[in-house]
Amino acid sequence: MNTQQLALVFPGQGSQKVGMLAELGAAFPSVKATFAEASAALGYDMWDLVQNGEQAQLNLTETTQPVLLTASVAVWRLWCEQGGLQPSLMAGHSLGEFSALVCAGAIDFADAVRLVRARGQYMQTAVPVGEGAMAAVLGLDDAQIIDICQQASAAGVVEAVNFNSPGQVVIAGKVAGVEKAIELLKAAGAKRALPLPVSAPFHTSLMRPAGEKLAEALAAMSLQSPKIPVVHNVHGKTESDPSAIKALLVEQIYSAVKWVSCVEAMAAAGITTTIEAGPGKVLSGLNKRIEKSLSCLNIESPETLAAALEAVAQ
C-alpha cells in the first residue's frame, strides 16, 4: 500500500469507556506518557480517571472531549513510533476533528486538550441540562428527515445534525421539538427513532453561543497549516489556511456533521483504507456503509495495532 491510499480517522463523543486503551497502556509506555502530558495540562490524573473512574463522569462532555482527544493522539503517536505508514488524509467526527488537527501538526497538543475541555463547557452551558435532546433516526432518506424536522420545529427547535451514513441521521434540538419529530418520523416509516443519552443538543443552531466563546478562545491560539490535510465536517473538504481552519471549527459547533461527505471525499481522493485511531469502531462501521469498497481498520489494543501495521505493510 502507498501513502495515497491511507486515511486516519478519529472518533467523537460516544466512543469513551472506562478501561479504554488499558492493554495498549500496559504494553507501550508512550501511551501513558501522552496521558501524563494531558494530565499536566488539565491538573488531574486523566489515566486514572479513564481506567478507574465512573462511566458517568467520563460521559460529562467537558471530560469526554479531552479524554477522547488524548486517546486518539496516544494511538497516533504509537502508530508513528511503530513505523506505521503515514496517511495522505485525516478526518475526525465532531470532536475527532480536533484530534485530527493535533495529529496533523496544526494545533499544539496541550493547547488542544485545554481548548476541548472549554469547548465541552461552552456546549453544556449553551443549553441548560434537560432542555435539549438528540435522537438517532434509521431508515429514512436525508431529505425526508430535513423536511420532517422543519415541520416539527413549530413545537421547538429541531434540526438534522449528523449525516453519519446512508439511512442513519441524528437529529437534535429542544426536547419538545425532538419529541414531535420522533412522532412524525415514525409515522413516515422510520425503522427507528431513538433518543440518545446525551447532555446537550450538539451541532444545532442552539450552540451558537458556544461558537462565539470558542471563537474567542481560538483567537488567542496559534494554529499552523496541517502537515497532513484534514477533511472538515462542515463541507467535506480540506483547508490549509489557519484562520480558515479556526472559522471552520467555530462553524462546526453549530452546524451539521457531514460525515458521509467526508468519507466520499476521501474515497474520491483515492483512499482505499481507513484506520480509526482511538477507542471503539463506530467510524469504521459508518465508513464501510458509506463506501463498501473501503477496508476499515481500528486501533485500540495491541492486537488491532499489529493487524493494522500488517495490513498497510502489504
Side-chain angles (χ1 to χ4, degrees), residues 10 16 19 29 31-32 51 73 78 95 102-103 106 120 128 163 168 170 193 212 241 246 250 280 287 303 306-307 314:
F10 300 91
Q16 71 280 359
V31 172
K32 287 187 184 176
Q51 300 307 320
V73 172
L78 181 57
L95 162 78
V102 171
C103 297
F163 296 95
Q168 185 188 332
V170 174
E212 289 164 12
D241 177 54
K246 287 183 179 184
V250 172
N287 296 357
E303 294 76 20
Q314 291 168 3

Side-chain angles (χ1 to χ4, degrees), residues 43-58:
Y44 65 85
D45 187 336
M46 190 185 280
W47 183 256
D48 182 63
L49 171 67
V50 166
Q51 300 307 320
N52 305 310
E54 297 292 326
Q55 187 68 40
Q57 190 177 1
L58 268 193

Side-chain angles (χ1 to χ4, degrees), residues 122-123 126-127 159 201-216 250-255:
Y122 302 153
M123 291 166 84
V127 178
E159 297 159 8
F202 303 134
H203 298 291
T204 64
S205 55
L206 298 169
M207 289 286 127
R208 279 188 181 273
E212 289 164 12
K213 288 179 182 170
L214 186 68
E216 288 175 25
V250 172
E251 191 179 345
Q252 188 230 52
I253 212 169
Y254 54 76
S255 303

Side-chain angles (χ1 to χ4, degrees), residues 113-267:
V113 169
R114 289 186 286 263
L115 180 69
V116 299
R117 177 173 65 176
R119 179 179 182 264
Q121 292 165 339
Y122 302 153
M123 291 166 84
Q124 190 59 71
T125 54
V127 178
V129 175
E131 289 190 16
M134 298 181 79
V137 183
L138 303 180
L140 291 179
D141 67 40
D142 296 355
Q144 279 179 290
I145 294 168
I146 292 166
D147 183 51
I148 286 170
C149 284
Q150 286 173 339
Q151 293 173 44
S153 62
V157 173
V158 57
E159 297 159 8
V161 295
N162 291 356
F163 296 95
N164 283 336
S165 69
Q168 185 188 332
V169 174
V170 174
I171 63 170
K174 294 280 193 178
V175 170
V178 172
E179 286 174 349
K180 181 64 176 175
I182 287 173
E183 179 190 317
L184 294 175
L185 289 160
K186 285 180 175 172
K191 287 181 194 163
R192 289 164 86 182
L194 297 171
L196 296 174
V198 294
S199 52
F202 303 134
H203 298 291
T204 64
S205 55
L206 298 169
M207 289 286 127
R208 279 188 181 273
E212 289 164 12
K213 288 179 182 170
L214 186 68
E216 288 175 25
L218 279 164
M221 276 180 63
S222 170
L223 261 70
Q224 314 301 318
S225 183
K227 295 183 180 75
I228 298 166
V230 173
V231 182
H232 291 274
N233 291 172
V234 168
H235 54 25
K237 299 171 189 169
T238 60
E239 180 54 71
S240 59
D241 177 54
S243 60
I245 291 170
K246 287 183 179 184
L248 286 167
L249 291 175
V250 172
E251 191 179 345
Q252 188 230 52
I253 212 169
Y254 54 76
S255 303
V257 172
K258 296 177 180 171
W259 189 249
V260 173
S261 299
C262 291
V263 175
E264 287 175 346
M266 289 190 283

Side-chain angles (χ1 to χ4, degrees), residues 276-287:
E276 184 169 0
K281 41 190 175 186
V282 170
L283 298 184
S284 299
L286 297 179
N287 296 357

Side-chain angles (χ1 to χ4, degrees), residues 9 11 14-15 17 275-289 296-300 304:
V9 296
S15 291
K17 59 180 184 287
I275 295 178
E276 184 169 0
K281 41 190 175 186
V282 170
L283 298 184
S284 299
L286 297 179
N287 296 357
K288 194 73 181 169
R289 285 203 287 278
C296 301
L297 307 166
N298 72 301
I299 300 174
E300 60 176 342
T304 50

Side-chain angles (χ1 to χ4, degrees), residues 79-97:
W79 177 253
C80 296
E81 181 187 297
Q82 295 294 309
L85 185 70
Q86 291 291 292
S88 63
L89 287 172
M90 291 181 165
H93 191 287
S94 186
L95 162 78
E97 192 164 291

